[in-house]
Amino acid sequence: DYATDILWVFDKTKSIVMETNSTMKDKHSILRSDWITIKFDQDFKRVVESSAQKNSYLYIEDPEKGQIREVKAGHIGSIYDENGKMTRLAILRQAEILMKDKENHILIASEMVDLFFEPETGQATEMDIPMYGRVENTGKTKFEVAAEKINAKFDKNGEIKYCEGTGKASYVVEDYKGTTDKIMYSIKKDTIVLKGPDSTLETKHNTFRSDSFKVQVTDKILSSQSKEGAKTVIHLEKKSVLFSAAAVFINAKKFVIYEKENRLDYENDVTLNQGETVLRCTRL
């Protein structure tokens, strides 16, 4: 179904242009914009691509799967395969995207977003954000990644199974947060990998700085191995014979933190400082 104030049909290019108060809809989707261009195949039977420019809005729902996709942007471009199934959405200028189902709620924001789909199922398979953007997921998994470049991959149910942020990245994953040059978060493997000089990680009021981290999220095991060494600030839960309740500063080239067991293992050039207390050893 189409509705518009002004309609142009170009037989040579097999295109329709709709201007002002334009709407394109079917049973489970609606596209609104100030300017919509639709390109058809030779027989005007199948849509090849569509383009919406200025104040564009796209809504798609799948009632059987309980899925909703909502897009607001300056430009929304849609690409279709030979069977008329959508394979890609190119979203430009102040893009805001909502993807939600019964278990997850995904928010995406950037000036440019590419979404790719499996034609037969309509499920998202991959997302590329080539400039600064943000991805926030709440529900079964909880995380937020903002970076200069972001790539995400989806599982067969349309849920994000992997998210990678590169360049001036900040992140929040469950109880962990910080900054890094590169974050690789695998929801499927339940692991976070951070890479880059001065990567930081905070958890339970403790702070860690290194050029390499790995976190096993559910098991709450944090590790780092760095030639340059890792710097940590640990806040003890209670004082002991050797240490007060003040912050403890520990530097080492390798460490493993077992949060559930409240156990810390440090190796290689270990230095510990707390006030006037200084300890140097090969393993702590």
Side-chain angles (χ1 to χ4, degrees):
D1 295 331
Y2 306 100
T4 184
D5 286 359
I6 302 173
L7 177 66
W8 302 83
V9 180
F10 301 93
D11 185 60
K12 188 175 182 180
T13 60
K14 307 299 179 183
S15 300
I16 290 176
V17 175
M18 300 187 292
E19 295 183 47
T20 314
N21 299 320
S22 302
T23 302
M24 172 182 170
K25 67 178 180 178
D26 60 19
K27 187 177 180 181
H28 297 302
S29 68
I30 183 168
L31 174 64
R32 293 198 303 264
S33 181
D34 290 348
W35 182 292
I36 298 177
T37 302
I38 307 164
K39 185 176 181 180
F40 293 85
D41 63 3
Q42 290 298 315
D43 299 321
F44 271 94
K45 292 182 178 180
R46 177 178 60 83
V47 176
V48 176
E49 61 183 74
S50 65
S51 175
Q53 299 184 50
K54 296 183 181 180
N55 302 316
S56 302
Y57 173 81
L58 173 65
Y59 178 88
I60 304 172
E61 67 175 1
D62 187 331
E64 291 184 5
K65 297 176 181 177
Q67 293 179 332
I68 291 174
R69 299 189 188 102
E70 190 174 36
V71 180
K72 299 176 184 178
H75 174 91
I76 303 173
S78 305
I79 307 297
Y80 301 83
D81 68 5
E82 63 276 5
N83 298 312
K85 304 288 187 179
M86 187 172 66
T87 61
R88 177 186 174 192
L89 277 176
I91 307 157
L92 308 173
R93 296 193 295 276
Q94 297 181 331
E96 295 180 4
I97 303 165
L98 167 65
M99 304 173 68
K100 70 176 182 178
D101 56 25
K102 297 175 182 178
E103 295 186 306
N104 285 291
H105 190 116
I106 305 170
L107 290 171
I108 304 158
S110 180
E111 285 295 303
M112 182 180 294
V113 180
D114 257 345
L115 276 169
F116 300 89
F117 299 88
E118 204 288 314
E120 294 306 315
T121 64
Q123 295 287 13
T125 58
E126 187 172 0
M127 174 179 65
D128 272 320
I129 304 177
M131 56 179 57
Y132 191 84
R134 177 174 62 89
V135 177
E136 181 179 349
N137 191 91
T138 56
K140 190 162 62 175
T141 57
K142 181 181 178 181
F143 71 90
E144 180 178 344
V145 173
E148 292 179 341
K149 294 182 181 180
I150 298 175
N151 175 265
K153 292 179 173 56
F154 298 80
D155 64 17
K156 62 181 180 179
N157 297 316
E159 299 173 5
I160 295 178
K161 64 179 180 181
Y162 177 83
C163 185
E164 180 178 299
T166 306
K168 296 181 180 179
S170 61
Y171 63 91
V172 178
V173 179
E174 300 295 340
D175 297 326
Y176 302 94
K177 64 179 180 179
T179 58
T180 185
D181 282 350
K182 187 169 187 176
I183 175 172
M184 293 164 280
Y185 177 36
S186 174
I187 293 88
K188 185 177 181 179
K189 295 181 180 179
D190 198 33
T191 59
I192 306 167
V193 174
L194 306 178
K195 296 289 185 181
D198 292 326
S199 294
T200 65
L201 187 148
E202 297 178 30
T203 176
K204 285 188 175 180
H205 306 295
N206 299 324
T207 304
F208 306 87
R209 187 182 298 273
S210 178
D211 59 16
S212 176
F213 288 105
K214 182 178 179 179
V215 182
Q216 294 168 246
V217 180
T218 300
D219 291 336
K220 295 193 177 299
I221 300 174
L222 164 62
S223 61
S224 175
Q225 186 166 354
S226 168
K227 291 181 180 180
E228 301 300 321
K231 300 176 181 179
T232 68
V233 182
I234 303 296
H235 293 268
L236 303 176
E237 294 185 358
K238 57 183 179 179
K239 62 183 181 180
S240 64
V241 175
L242 290 177
F243 304 108
S244 69
V248 178
F249 300 86
I250 309 174
N251 297 342
K253 291 186 177 178
K254 180 180 178 180
F255 71 77
V256 183
I257 311 294
Y258 302 88
E259 290 190 81
K260 289 184 177 180
E261 302 172 27
N262 288 322
R263 179 159 63 92
L264 317 175
D265 287 347
Y266 287 84
E267 295 181 38
N268 299 340
D269 299 331
V270 182
T271 302
L272 179 151
N273 290 271
Q274 188 191 56
E276 296 181 357
T277 302
V278 179
L279 175 64
R280 292 184 176 87
C281 56
T282 57
R283 184 164 187 173
L284 176 64

